[in-house]
Amino acid sequence: MKRFFSVLALAFLFTCGWQQTSFAQANYATGLGIRIGGYENGLNIKYFLDSETALEGVLGFRPGVFNVTGFYEKHAVAFAEPSLNWYYGAGAHIGAISGDRYYKSYGKDRYYANDGILLGADGILGLEWQVTDLPISTALDLHPRLELARGPFLNLELALSVRYTF
């Protein structure tokens, strides 16, 4: 058992050292945090495949809705500043909606009772800042979402993400 933990510790140290040198442009390998948007809020994770390519996942929540969104993103240095990155990407979402709720429409109460799934295509365009000397990154992005299962309709959301990076 002692030998197993020694091998595991060495593998962990080797992996951390490899990530530190391999992800020089991104300044981190993985980030975990929160996303606050105009349309929905949630948890956020970003994982860099290499210095210019990342996968991002969002678990989004709003009243009566749960949504999972995934992005494939490309990153590039912004304004010749290594701590700033432009990024853009595409992805998809899937989720569920519980329609048992009231909402206001033109000053009148309306009842919405149509449960179902959400499914569609997503895009993302943003600017990310890796805070110097701290394991924190912040990102501001535009997230257009094309809902296909309940629509078609298009939403455009502005969101702020704050992540702990490691």
Side-chain angles (χ1 to χ4, degrees), residues 100-159:
D100 294 330
R101 64 185 182 279
Y102 286 92
Y103 68 97
K104 291 250 186 223
S105 177
Y106 300 107
K108 299 178 184 173
D109 285 339
R110 303 209 183 227
Y111 180 69
Y112 187 74
N114 193 1
D115 297 344
I117 67 164
L118 300 171
L119 182 65
D122 296 72
I124 195 163
L125 172 66
L127 182 65
E128 181 176 28
W129 175 49
Q130 173 69 38
V131 179
T132 309
D133 299 329
L134 289 176
I136 304 248
S137 77
T138 60
L140 185 65
D141 59 60
L142 283 174
H143 172 204
R145 176 189 341 223
L146 177 62
E147 178 58 45
L148 299 172
R150 313 259 324 149
F153 59 85
L154 181 67
N155 293 324
L156 181 63
E157 175 183 42
L158 181 65

Side-chain angles (χ1 to χ4, degrees), residues 54-68:
L55 299 176
E56 184 173 354
V58 179
L59 295 174
F61 306 96
R62 63 183 185 267
V65 176
F66 171 76
N67 205 23
V68 178

Side-chain angles (χ1 to χ4, degrees), residues 26-88:
N27 296 327
Y28 68 93
T30 305
L32 183 62
I34 60 169
R35 179 179 169 89
I36 302 166
Y39 195 55
E40 67 187 14
N41 302 316
L43 302 175
N44 177 280
I45 186 167
K46 184 179 275 196
Y47 175 76
F48 279 88
L49 301 171
D50 59 38
S51 63
E52 298 175 352
T53 309
L55 299 176
E56 184 173 354
V58 179
L59 295 174
F61 306 96
R62 63 183 185 267
V65 176
F66 171 76
N67 205 23
V68 178
T69 306
F71 295 104
Y72 177 82
E73 300 173 348
K74 297 300 271 181
H75 287 246
V77 174
F79 309 114
E81 173 59 44
S83 63
L84 283 176
N85 279 325
W86 290 109
Y87 62 95
Y88 63 92

